[in-house]
Amino acid sequence: MQNNIKIDIKLDKVCNVLDEAVENALEEAIGELESQTKKNTKVKTGKTKASWEHKVDSKKCEAYVGSNYDNAIWEEFGTGIYAQHGNGRKDVPWVYRDEEGKWHRTSGKKPRKALQRAFNTTKNSVKSYFEEQFKDLW
């Protein structure tokens, strides 16, 4: 006589639990990166600091930190003669008027790298966090 063993695995439940765990881990990690980026951001008016946001795309298992505020780009990569890749404005100096109506003369802004420095600061702790969260799956 042959013994048949029936194994009932609820794959949809397993997948749901894994998806939720991944989404939670991504949210935790990217939240830490966003927080550190805000800590690294120079504060004059607070607009740049407040503009940093994060997004989790759990379907792609990806997370993003970014800003839709122009100054965040200038702070990260620099402008004028200080632009990171040498692709800044060359007709220096130039003048501009700020939001308060005050005129300024500049040759550019040095990159401050708030996001890059945040990534460098948090990458090891984020890696350790993921390893801890999913250690039983390896």
Side-chain angles (χ1 to χ4, degrees), residues 61-101:
C61 291
E62 296 177 348
Y64 312 89
V65 171
S67 170
N68 62 358
Y69 189 50
D70 286 342
N71 192 57
I73 296 167
W74 303 332
E75 287 284 323
E76 189 69 20
F77 299 108
T79 64
I81 63 173
Y82 306 108
Q84 178 179 351
H85 299 293
N87 58 353
R89 188 173 181 167
K90 304 294 187 245
D91 57 334
V92 295
W94 71 89
V95 294
Y96 70 95
R97 186 165 30 182
D98 66 20
E99 294 171 348
E100 298 164 355

